[in-house]
């Protein structure tokens, strides 16, 4: 049996006609820049995520970049973030000339540890830290209650890297009351990626920023289009960060499926968890299951299930290198997200030496993502687990 890490053909089988019709509609409209498809998607994503405004951009990377530009981040500024993420999270900080400061991750959630954030903010007596970028890794939100509390105390804005977490729900505590918020809607801005492997993936690159405040939305709209308003009058130096209407049209076809896809991914995760437990691999500590850390806080009155949208299903495993070889020999796709933590990347040069993040380093050495896409069948999952059992026996 062949089990790829991700199979986009599986969803194409029921989306193809609608996607072609949507793309054709854009072609025939001749509205190739901005236009109604982009505007509608912006409204739909903002509404879906519980935000006031959506600003479509070229990619998840550019969503983060335009936010840093919007906050006026530049040389000498420091940005606090997670050392365990896709490179873009750090890349944008370096590109605006700022310095990344890393707070180590919590080993259970893989997300940035708010206690470490507190320590770094307290130690920043010169107040060089100008923003915090928590990453909602693998589809589960970072601990935003604690993060927002620190951020408010030190008056530092929070930009959520929600590239892997669109629609993920988080039980936010405010004034002793729990309120369920969707990823991206809690900080000053939230950034999404529509890279094809994300839960809501385009037919190419795309991204979006969501914000609550009109003033910020207007600034990001300017920056997205060379800072021009009106045309050819440039108040700010921005860039071309416009979302392609063909992508917007395709994403609007996919958005109505998103809740169902999240549920299917969560069901697949539950199936893996059950199988790995039944086979004894968990008890023998050959594999460690991913934790949905907020699931327990959910009361039955809430009917909210997307606390983890499983963009990735990530285990900690023993003898990882040999296991990967074995899986690929058996036609099973898998991937390491991510093998080198950000503070260990060569491009950081001398900036790297100041950082000590043992949990991120340990995660980078131990984690392995298995196929989890919505259309994955239960027989494929059984095959994956069976092969992993065979490996360890
Ligand atoms: C995918 C991703 C990005 C970048 O998104 P692109 O659309 O590929 O530019 C940024 N941060 C994280 C955590 C991601 O997973």
């Amino acid at each position: 049996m062949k089990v790829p890490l991700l199979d986009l053909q599986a969803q194409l089988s029921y989306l193809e006609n609608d996607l072609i019709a949507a793309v054709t509609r854009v072609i025939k409209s001749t509205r190739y820049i901005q236009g109604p498809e982009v505007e509608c998607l912006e409204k739909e994503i903002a509404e879906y995520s519980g935000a006031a405004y959506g600003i479509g951009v070229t990619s998840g990377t550019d969503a983060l970049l335009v936010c840093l530009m919007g906050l006026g981040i530049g040389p000498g500024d420091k940005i606090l973030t997670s050392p365990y993420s896709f490179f873009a999270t750090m890349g944008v900080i370096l590109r605006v000339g700022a310095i990344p400061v890393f707070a180590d991750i919590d080993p259970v959630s893989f997300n940035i540890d708010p206690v470490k954030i507190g320590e770094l903010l307290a130690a920043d007596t010169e107040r060089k830290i100008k923003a915090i970028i928590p990453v909602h890794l693998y589809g589960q939100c970072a601990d935003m209650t604690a993060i927002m509390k620190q951020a408010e105390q030190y008056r530092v804005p929070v930009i959520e890297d929600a590239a892997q977490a669109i629609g993920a729900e988080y039980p936010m505590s405010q004034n002793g009351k729990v309120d369920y918020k969707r990823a991206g809607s809690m900080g000053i801005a939230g950034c999404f990626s529509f890279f094809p492997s994300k839960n809501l993936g385009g037919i190419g690159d795309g991204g979006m920023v969501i914000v609550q405040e009109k003033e910020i939305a207007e600034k990001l709209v300017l920056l997205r289009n060379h800072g021009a308003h009106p045309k050819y009058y440039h108040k700010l130096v921005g860039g071309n960060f416009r979302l392609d209407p063909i992508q917007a049209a395709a994403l609007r076809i996919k958005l109505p499926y998103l809740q169902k896809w999240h549920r299917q991914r969560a069901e697949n995760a539950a199936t893996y968890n059950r199988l790995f437990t039944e086979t004894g691999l968990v008890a023998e500590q050959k594999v460690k299951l991913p934790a949905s850390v907020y699931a327990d806080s959910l009361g039955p009155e809430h009917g909210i299930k997307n606390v983890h949208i499983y963009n990735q299903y990530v285990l900690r495993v023993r003898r990882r290198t040999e296991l990967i070889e074995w899986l690929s020999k058996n036609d099973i796709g898998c991937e390491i997200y991510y093998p080198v933590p950000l503070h260990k990347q060569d491009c950081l040069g001398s900036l790297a030496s100041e950082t000590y993040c043992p949990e991120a380093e340990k995660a980078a050495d131990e984690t392995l993502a298995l196929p989890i896409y919505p259309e994955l069948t239960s027989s494929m999952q059984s095959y994956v687990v069976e092969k992993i059992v065979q490996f360890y026996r």
Side-chain angles (χ1 to χ4, degrees):
M1 194 185 291
K2 196 172 163 64
V3 188
L5 183 63
L6 173 66
D7 180 11
L8 291 173
Q9 282 294 341
Q11 62 164 238
L12 201 57
S13 68
Y14 53 89
L15 289 178
E16 183 171 349
N17 290 340
D18 289 348
L19 285 174
I20 289 171
V23 171
T24 305
R25 196 166 70 225
V26 175
I27 293 171
K28 290 191 172 171
S29 76
T30 72
R31 292 294 301 270
Y32 301 147
I33 300 293
Q34 295 295 128
E37 295 288 349
V38 172
E39 279 169 30
C40 287
L41 182 74
E42 289 173 339
K43 286 205 181 79
E44 289 164 6
I45 299 277
E47 190 185 348
Y48 173 79
S49 300
Y53 303 94
I55 300 103
V57 292
T58 22
S59 67
T61 305
D62 284 344
L64 292 163
L65 181 64
V66 82
C67 286
L68 292 181
M69 291 169 75
L71 290 175
I73 305 297
D77 294 337
K78 291 183 174 175
I79 307 294
L80 215 169
T81 193
S82 169
Y84 195 55
S85 181
F86 176 60
F87 177 75
T89 313
M90 172 173 85
V92 295
I93 297 169
L94 296 167
R95 282 170 65 191
V96 297
I99 299 164
V101 177
F102 298 105
D104 205 0
I105 55 166
D106 163 68
V108 176
S109 68
F110 299 108
N111 281 324
I112 194 165
D113 182 346
V115 175
K116 300 278 171 12
I117 292 180
E119 289 168 6
L120 289 163
L121 285 171
D124 179 37
T125 49
E126 289 176 55
R127 296 294 185 103
K128 294 271 191 200
I129 295 173
K130 294 297 188 325
I132 304 171
I133 308 182
V135 181
H136 305 321
L137 202 70
Y138 305 145
Q140 171 168 250
C141 287
D143 188 357
M144 291 301 289
T145 300
I147 292 169
M148 291 310 293
K149 210 171 135 195
Q150 313 266 17
E152 276 155 28
Q153 186 187 335
Y154 289 90
R155 296 177 191 282
V156 177
V158 172
I159 300 165
E160 295 172 65
D161 182 342
Q164 300 182 6
I166 188 167
E169 283 158 4
Y170 174 84
M172 182 77 124
S173 299
Q174 269 166 334
N175 312 319
K177 192 171 131 280
V178 172
D179 200 4
Y180 288 85
K181 301 274 193 190
R182 284 197 173 161
S185 69
M186 295 169 272
I188 194 170
C191 300
F192 298 130
S193 163
F194 304 128
F195 186 82
S197 70
K198 306 291 158 98
N199 283 33
L200 180 63
I203 51 172
D205 279 308
M208 192 169 291
V209 184
I210 57 169
V211 301
Q212 306 290 9
E213 287 174 43
K214 190 172 182 206
E215 224 171 284
I216 300 167
E218 285 171 349
K219 189 163 188 193
L220 295 179
V221 165
L222 275 186
L223 288 169
R224 164 176 71 180
N225 193 20
H226 294 293
H229 186 77
K231 212 172 172 180
Y232 309 124
Y233 292 80
H234 301 265
K235 293 187 165 58
L236 299 164
V237 180
N240 175 357
F241 301 127
R242 297 180 301 254
L243 177 63
D244 187 330
I246 285 183
Q247 295 307 328
L251 289 161
R252 293 187 64 215
I253 297 299
K254 291 191 176 198
L255 183 58
Y257 292 88
L258 189 56
Q259 290 294 97
K260 182 176 156 212
W261 288 338
H262 290 338
R263 261 198 313 281
Q264 288 173 314
R265 284 171 180 269
E267 280 163 18
N268 292 344
T271 300
Y272 272 138
N273 288 350
R274 180 172 54 77
L275 293 174
F276 281 121
T277 305
E278 282 171 5
T279 57
L281 287 183
V282 177
E284 292 163 35
Q285 300 188 358
K286 298 289 193 268
V287 304
K288 191 165 190 293
L289 302 177
S292 178
V293 295
Y294 312 116
D296 292 344
S297 68
L298 287 173
E301 69 276 19
H302 289 291
I304 290 171
K305 293 192 183 64
N306 295 334
V307 288
H308 198 323
I309 63 158
Y310 291 97
N311 178 243
Q312 299 297 346
Y313 178 85
V314 176
L315 298 168
R316 287 186 194 254
V317 299
R318 297 274 163 116
R319 294 165 57 210
R320 185 174 65 176
T321 312
E322 296 147 276
L323 176 60
I324 292 169
E325 214 171 285
W326 169 257
L327 290 174
S328 84
K329 235 190 282 175
N330 286 283
D331 280 334
I332 296 169
C334 63
E335 188 76 78
I336 301 171
Y337 299 111
Y338 297 89
V340 183
L342 299 180
H343 67 287
K344 291 279 183 185
Q345 293 291 348
D346 285 346
C347 65
L348 267 180
S350 61
L351 286 177
S353 59
E354 298 168 23
T355 310
Y356 180 62
C357 292
E359 290 300 345
E361 287 169 38
K362 195 154 177 279
D365 287 341
E366 296 180 350
T367 52
L368 189 65
L370 296 180
I372 191 71
Y373 61 90
E375 299 84 2
L376 191 71
T377 64
S378 56
S379 60
M380 286 165 132
Q381 290 196 273
S382 299
Y383 173 76
V384 170
V385 174
E386 183 192 312
K387 285 295 160 193
I388 293 177
V389 170
Q390 253 180 42
F391 171 78
Y392 285 114
R393 295 289 139 80

